[in-house]
Amino acid sequence: MKYSPAKIERKWQRYWESKQIHLAKDKGKDNFMLLTEFPYPSGNLHVGHWYAFALPDILARYLKMNGHNVMYPIGFDAFGLPAENAAIQRNINPRDWTEQNIKYMTKQLKNMGTLLDWSREVSTINPNYYKWTQWMFLKFYEKGLVYRDKTFVNWCPRDKTVLANEQVVNGCCDRCGTEVVQKEITQWMFRTTAYADQLIDDIEGLDWPETTKLAQRNWIGRSEGAIIQFLIPNSKLLIPVFTTRADTLFGATYLVLAPEHPMLTKLTSDENLDKASRYLEEVKKKTELERLHIDKSKTGVDTGGYVVNPINNEKIPVWVADYVLGHYGTGAIMAVPAHDERDKEFAEKFNLPVSNAPLEDAQKIVEKLKEKGLAEFKKNYKLHDWVLSRQRYWGVPIPMIRCEKCGYVAVPEKELPVELPYLEDFKPSDDGRSPLAKAKDWLKVKCPECGRDAERETDTMDTFVDSSWYFLRYTDPKNKKEFASKKKMAEWLPVPMYIGGAEHNTMHLLYSRFFTKALHDLGYLDFNEPFTARRNHGIILGPDGQKMSKSRGNVVDPDVEVKKYGADTIRMYLAFMGPYDQGGPWNPDGIQGVFRFLTRVWNFISEPEEPKTADKEADRIINKATKEMGDDIKNLKFNTGVSGLMKLLNALEDKWLTKKQYGTFLKLLAPFAPHIAEELWWTVLKNKKSIHLEKWPKHDEALLAEELIELVIQINGIKRDVLKVTKGLSEEEVKSIALSNESVKKYLVGKEIKKFVYVKDRLTNIVI
RNA sequence: GGGUACGUGGCGGAACUGGUAUACGCGCACGCUUCAGGAGCGUGUGGGAGCAAUCCCGUGAGAGUUCAAAUCUCUCCGUACCCACCA
């Protein structure tokens, strides 16, 4: 019979489902939650999803065969702007659109033949889920970790919503590409900065990629310096500046305020008023994009005002310039042209003085000024508090009530969830208010405190809130009393391995860490880091090496490939194409090679009769492969794992094996190509229980030690011969073998051996 | 401009702690099989010299350390990703 995946794959997927081999038991031993980032229900599975879910499944199956009680959970991160925009385009409700996508993608995901545990499925749009998202919001609110503040925010004029700093890419909305403008509104914020130090200090202990750790450190951006006060003459007003270089204070020759600085009007002299206000108008007109890209040269104007440098009492002029950022530090800097490139450029352009005053000890300077109340040590962070409000329909309603008399009042816990009403007209409105304001019945509510007529908050939450705690829910997805029971969380968490995309290095991973730390401090978690180990996977590009996109026409449809080659081939091909953290272009020829391999496997395991005695050589080969295969999978080196299987088949193909030997081969293959392994396990080897419930073969260390090794003999570092010898030869033994070797002897005639290098079980180098 | 990672055949890539460079696969060439093949099987496949055994060169370029360098150090060139006036 020919190998035709279409005939066997669905059959086994159904069988596994009926036997529930993919379900994680709660009271198992040796629990292991293998976490992958839950997908966004965009409507269609792409090859990237296979990369993200079918490859970690190799590890999941391997761990299961090694006796772990594996949970490989799945869910959907289903709120968010893209669904809303797609629904607007198609003129259907986002809920209908999203639910339909989830249904379709679930079907597609099941084609992969994974251990994904659908019984624990979590969906962020399910009121039983977002009830707890709201609950956490309220707990954080009680603890002062949620607050409202009027801030300048990034406003996308097209999506008509506020964006987090992280969602602004090069001054444009990362979703639609429109230029972002600055707008001042009052927003709900998470006080992420309260955890800035912990978030940066705890990175060290994590088993994460160095790049991810570094990205987080840079994002939090802690710098240690000082605040120094500059007095405005003839007043009692002080202007604080932040500096990491207090030692350069003697060289400060002028001071620069950000255009947003509140003291600006006070400082500006009458004669400079016109010029200054014209400058501010100009800056306002500049979009973020221009500020960053087009207009890189420094601009600014003299305010005509002065301040006093506290270290030497020199009067220095005050300027305003937009190269100073209003939102970092104090929004003002002391300019030291002698030591700072930016200040130097500005000073040269506007003819400001440069002083080469000597540097002094920063510590001493600050301490000295501190006595007079003119300085203090200060840590500063780039990290901002997290603006979580969105003026959009498709998100979790923020569970607050606005009462004329009492102000903002929390929705009582027993009234959760505040359900998102089904709206006919959910389009964003031009006034910037959330579409929920149109749901009149939903909006009206009594104030929980005074009982008067009040209104619900109409903003919804950023979807990053939903995904900041989803992994907790996997441990106890149906719990109605708590977000998850402490007991169950203790069995599974923290997550021992989290595999996902490098694009989440900062936002998602940082937010999840913030949530975990906050919940820990509130007493709900026993751990304060969510993910013990993290590994990133790469991105699969189109055959042309470009990012897959409909407009480029280079999209590979996994459904089409499955029809052509079957799921096992796709899984193995993706595993084989290169290092998992690297990704790379899809190669239509490369996949042929994997299909050929599986066809050869199919023809290989077909011997009806067993030999009387097992082939010793085959045992040795299998034993070695078993060890290497296990190491490869554990280290997520799937590419060399596949090549190991290929080598194994090459070595065994013309041998006559026992049923046990064939069985071992199939067990090694099973995590990679679960369907064909199962089929051959039953139909050819006549087993009556799933291969995926078998134990991973144990390799024999003693047999490994018997392996012959290839001893390299070098003369002056150049290879002259390679000998097969037993392991563990001593230096003396190797020396006599080497010196009596014919192909070596001829080089040694009449030469003196200066040095004899011996590397055990590897090589010897004769230096002459 | 800054940071990080990386640079190995025609291509994807392998190489443990510095110790046989190019495993495995693709492609290509030749042969076998077949009515036929864009199927299957076999052999070969970094460059150069040689009938051959064999020898020399070779991991972006150049230097250095070492008995020994794809791997470590320095300079330069190039690519990818991230950040982007953070005082």
Side-chain angles (χ1 to χ4, degrees), chain A residues 532-549:
Chain A
T532 310
R534 163 84 185 185
R535 298 289 179 271
N536 292 338
H537 64 239
I539 298 168
I540 302 299
L541 306 170
D544 56 358
Q546 299 291 306
K547 209 174 160 186
M548 283 192 201
S549 75

PDB file of all heavy atoms in Angstrom, chain A residues 532-549:
ATOM      1  N   THR A 532       9.247  30.840  34.042  1.00  0.00           N
ATOM      2  CA  THR A 532      10.605  30.489  34.450  1.00  0.00           C
ATOM      3  C   THR A 532      11.550  30.460  33.258  1.00  0.00           C
ATOM      4  O   THR A 532      12.635  31.008  33.312  1.00  0.00           O
ATOM      5  CB  THR A 532      10.597  29.114  35.132  1.00  0.00           C
ATOM      6  OG1 THR A 532       9.575  29.131  36.124  1.00  0.00           O
ATOM      7  CG2 THR A 532      11.939  28.817  35.756  1.00  0.00           C
ATOM      8  N   ALA A 533      11.116  29.782  32.189  1.00  0.00           N
ATOM      9  CA  ALA A 533      11.959  29.725  30.984  1.00  0.00           C
ATOM     10  C   ALA A 533      11.163  30.231  29.798  1.00  0.00           C
ATOM     11  O   ALA A 533       9.949  30.019  29.689  1.00  0.00           O
ATOM     12  CB  ALA A 533      12.424  28.295  30.722  1.00  0.00           C
ATOM     13  N   ARG A 534      11.862  30.923  28.926  1.00  0.00           N
ATOM     14  CA  ARG A 534      11.221  31.464  27.730  1.00  0.00           C
ATOM     15  C   ARG A 534      12.122  31.192  26.540  1.00  0.00           C
ATOM     16  O   ARG A 534      13.346  31.335  26.641  1.00  0.00           O
ATOM     17  CB  ARG A 534      11.037  32.975  27.905  1.00  0.00           C
ATOM     18  CG  ARG A 534      10.768  33.763  26.626  1.00  0.00           C
ATOM     19  CD  ARG A 534       9.309  33.750  26.237  1.00  0.00           C
ATOM     20  NE  ARG A 534       9.108  34.416  24.952  1.00  0.00           N
ATOM     21  CZ  ARG A 534       7.920  34.634  24.405  1.00  0.00           C
ATOM     22  NH1 ARG A 534       6.836  34.245  25.036  1.00  0.00           N
ATOM     23  NH2 ARG A 534       7.824  35.216  23.249  1.00  0.00           N
ATOM     24  N   ARG A 535      11.526  30.755  25.433  1.00  0.00           N
ATOM     25  CA  ARG A 535      12.288  30.602  24.190  1.00  0.00           C
ATOM     26  C   ARG A 535      11.503  31.279  23.072  1.00  0.00           C
ATOM     27  O   ARG A 535      10.280  31.187  23.032  1.00  0.00           O
ATOM     28  CB  ARG A 535      12.494  29.128  23.848  1.00  0.00           C
ATOM     29  CG  ARG A 535      13.298  28.345  24.874  1.00  0.00           C
ATOM     30  CD  ARG A 535      14.778  28.730  24.876  1.00  0.00           C
ATOM     31  NE  ARG A 535      15.537  27.981  25.879  1.00  0.00           N
ATOM     32  CZ  ARG A 535      15.711  28.373  27.133  1.00  0.00           C
ATOM     33  NH1 ARG A 535      15.204  29.528  27.554  1.00  0.00           N
ATOM     34  NH2 ARG A 535      16.398  27.633  27.973  1.00  0.00           N
ATOM     35  N   ASN A 536      12.236  31.922  22.191  1.00  0.00           N
ATOM     36  CA  ASN A 536      11.580  32.583  21.060  1.00  0.00           C
ATOM     37  C   ASN A 536      11.653  31.720  19.810  1.00  0.00           C
ATOM     38  O   ASN A 536      12.627  31.018  19.599  1.00  0.00           O
ATOM     39  CB  ASN A 536      12.266  33.915  20.759  1.00  0.00           C
ATOM     40  CG  ASN A 536      12.052  34.936  21.853  1.00  0.00           C
ATOM     41  OD1 ASN A 536      11.103  34.837  22.632  1.00  0.00           O
ATOM     42  ND2 ASN A 536      12.926  35.919  21.926  1.00  0.00           N
ATOM     43  N   HIS A 537      10.629  31.806  18.986  1.00  0.00           N
ATOM     44  CA  HIS A 537      10.732  31.148  17.677  1.00  0.00           C
ATOM     45  C   HIS A 537      10.846  32.211  16.595  1.00  0.00           C
ATOM     46  O   HIS A 537      10.485  33.359  16.790  1.00  0.00           O
ATOM     47  CB  HIS A 537       9.555  30.224  17.418  1.00  0.00           C
ATOM     48  CG  HIS A 537       8.231  30.913  17.333  1.00  0.00           C
ATOM     49  ND1 HIS A 537       7.188  30.624  18.172  1.00  0.00           N
ATOM     50  CD2 HIS A 537       7.771  31.868  16.497  1.00  0.00           C
ATOM     51  CE1 HIS A 537       6.150  31.379  17.861  1.00  0.00           C
ATOM     52  NE2 HIS A 537       6.485  32.146  16.865  1.00  0.00           N
ATOM     53  N   GLY A 538      11.356  31.811  15.446  1.00  0.00           N
ATOM     54  CA  GLY A 538      11.521  32.745  14.331  1.00  0.00           C
ATOM     55  C   GLY A 538      10.241  32.905  13.532  1.00  0.00           C
ATOM     56  O   GLY A 538       9.175  32.454  13.938  1.00  0.00           O
ATOM     57  N   ILE A 539      10.391  33.576  12.420  1.00  0.00           N
ATOM     58  CA  ILE A 539       9.245  33.839  11.551  1.00  0.00           C
ATOM     59  C   ILE A 539       9.441  33.127  10.220  1.00  0.00           C
ATOM     60  O   ILE A 539      10.541  33.139   9.662  1.00  0.00           O
ATOM     61  CB  ILE A 539       9.104  35.360  11.306  1.00  0.00           C
ATOM     62  CG1 ILE A 539       8.844  36.085  12.623  1.00  0.00           C
ATOM     63  CG2 ILE A 539       7.992  35.659  10.316  1.00  0.00           C
ATOM     64  CD1 ILE A 539       8.982  37.588  12.539  1.00  0.00           C
ATOM     65  N   ILE A 540       8.358  32.504   9.729  1.00  0.00           N
ATOM     66  CA  ILE A 540       8.427  31.839   8.424  1.00  0.00           C
ATOM     67  C   ILE A 540       8.118  32.872   7.344  1.00  0.00           C
ATOM     68  O   ILE A 540       7.091  33.545   7.377  1.00  0.00           O
ATOM     69  CB  ILE A 540       7.407  30.688   8.338  1.00  0.00           C
ATOM     70  CG1 ILE A 540       7.647  29.671   9.448  1.00  0.00           C
ATOM     71  CG2 ILE A 540       7.502  30.001   6.979  1.00  0.00           C
ATOM     72  CD1 ILE A 540       8.989  29.009   9.408  1.00  0.00           C
ATOM     73  N   LEU A 541       9.042  33.008   6.407  1.00  0.00           N
ATOM     74  CA  LEU A 541       8.862  33.969   5.312  1.00  0.00           C
ATOM     75  C   LEU A 541       8.324  33.255   4.082  1.00  0.00           C
ATOM     76  O   LEU A 541       8.307  32.023   4.025  1.00  0.00           O
ATOM     77  CB  LEU A 541      10.215  34.617   4.984  1.00  0.00           C
ATOM     78  CG  LEU A 541      10.932  35.261   6.166  1.00  0.00           C
ATOM     79  CD1 LEU A 541      12.353  35.651   5.790  1.00  0.00           C
ATOM     80  CD2 LEU A 541      10.168  36.487   6.656  1.00  0.00           C
ATOM     81  N   GLY A 542       7.909  34.036   3.118  1.00  0.00           N
ATOM     82  CA  GLY A 542       7.451  33.463   1.860  1.00  0.00           C
ATOM     83  C   GLY A 542       8.621  32.865   1.098  1.00  0.00           C
ATOM     84  O   GLY A 542       9.780  33.095   1.446  1.00  0.00           O
ATOM     85  N   PRO A 543       8.321  32.086   0.039  1.00  0.00           N
ATOM     86  CA  PRO A 543       9.399  31.468  -0.751  1.00  0.00           C
ATOM     87  C   PRO A 543      10.381  32.500  -1.313  1.00  0.00           C
ATOM     88  O   PRO A 543      11.535  32.168  -1.596  1.00  0.00           O
ATOM     89  CB  PRO A 543       8.648  30.787  -1.892  1.00  0.00           C
ATOM     90  CG  PRO A 543       7.277  30.568  -1.378  1.00  0.00           C
ATOM     91  CD  PRO A 543       6.987  31.706  -0.446  1.00  0.00           C
ATOM     92  N   ASP A 544       9.940  33.753  -1.446  1.00  0.00           N
ATOM     93  CA  ASP A 544      10.823  34.795  -1.974  1.00  0.00           C
ATOM     94  C   ASP A 544      11.675  35.448  -0.893  1.00  0.00           C
ATOM     95  O   ASP A 544      12.396  36.409  -1.150  1.00  0.00           O
ATOM     96  CB  ASP A 544       9.997  35.861  -2.703  1.00  0.00           C
ATOM     97  CG  ASP A 544       8.918  36.455  -1.811  1.00  0.00           C
ATOM     98  OD1 ASP A 544       8.788  36.003  -0.651  1.00  0.00           O
ATOM     99  OD2 ASP A 544       8.198  37.362  -2.264  1.00  0.00           O
ATOM    100  N   GLY A 545      11.575  34.942   0.334  1.00  0.00           N
ATOM    101  CA  GLY A 545      12.375  35.495   1.409  1.00  0.00           C
ATOM    102  C   GLY A 545      11.770  36.751   2.027  1.00  0.00           C
ATOM    103  O   GLY A 545      12.352  37.349   2.923  1.00  0.00           O
ATOM    104  N   GLN A 546      10.604  37.158   1.554  1.00  0.00           N
ATOM    105  CA  GLN A 546       9.932  38.335   2.101  1.00  0.00           C
ATOM    106  C   GLN A 546       8.853  37.889   3.077  1.00  0.00           C
ATOM    107  O   GLN A 546       8.411  36.749   3.050  1.00  0.00           O
ATOM    108  CB  GLN A 546       9.263  39.134   0.973  1.00  0.00           C
ATOM    109  CG  GLN A 546      10.230  39.649  -0.073  1.00  0.00           C
ATOM    110  CD  GLN A 546      11.130  40.730   0.476  1.00  0.00           C
ATOM    111  OE1 GLN A 546      10.677  41.716   1.017  1.00  0.00           O
ATOM    112  NE2 GLN A 546      12.437  40.515   0.350  1.00  0.00           N
ATOM    113  N   LYS A 547       8.452  38.810   3.928  1.00  0.00           N
ATOM    114  CA  LYS A 547       7.370  38.530   4.848  1.00  0.00           C
ATOM    115  C   LYS A 547       6.119  38.152   4.050  1.00  0.00           C
ATOM    116  O   LYS A 547       5.811  38.802   3.050  1.00  0.00           O
ATOM    117  CB  LYS A 547       7.093  39.772   5.691  1.00  0.00           C
ATOM    118  CG  LYS A 547       6.543  39.440   7.048  1.00  0.00           C
ATOM    119  CD  LYS A 547       6.422  40.691   7.895  1.00  0.00           C
ATOM    120  CE  LYS A 547       5.441  40.429   9.027  1.00  0.00           C
ATOM    121  NZ  LYS A 547       5.135  41.584   9.815  1.00  0.00           N
ATOM    122  N   MET A 548       5.446  37.096   4.462  1.00  0.00           N
ATOM    123  CA  MET A 548       4.246  36.681   3.717  1.00  0.00           C
ATOM    124  C   MET A 548       3.164  37.743   3.809  1.00  0.00           C
ATOM    125  O   MET A 548       2.858  38.221   4.896  1.00  0.00           O
ATOM    126  CB  MET A 548       3.690  35.377   4.298  1.00  0.00           C
ATOM    127  CG  MET A 548       4.468  34.147   3.905  1.00  0.00           C
ATOM    128  SD  MET A 548       3.578  32.649   4.330  1.00  0.00           S
ATOM    129  CE  MET A 548       4.922  31.467   4.351  1.00  0.00           C
ATOM    130  N   SER A 549       2.611  38.122   2.658  1.00  0.00           N
ATOM    131  CA  SER A 549       1.495  39.056   2.673  1.00  0.00           C
ATOM    132  C   SER A 549       0.692  38.890   1.397  1.00  0.00           C
ATOM    133  O   SER A 549       1.231  38.526   0.348  1.00  0.00           O
ATOM    134  CB  SER A 549       1.993  40.495   2.791  1.00  0.00           C
ATOM    135  OG  SER A 549       2.528  40.929   1.565  1.00  0.00           O
TER     136      SER A 549
END
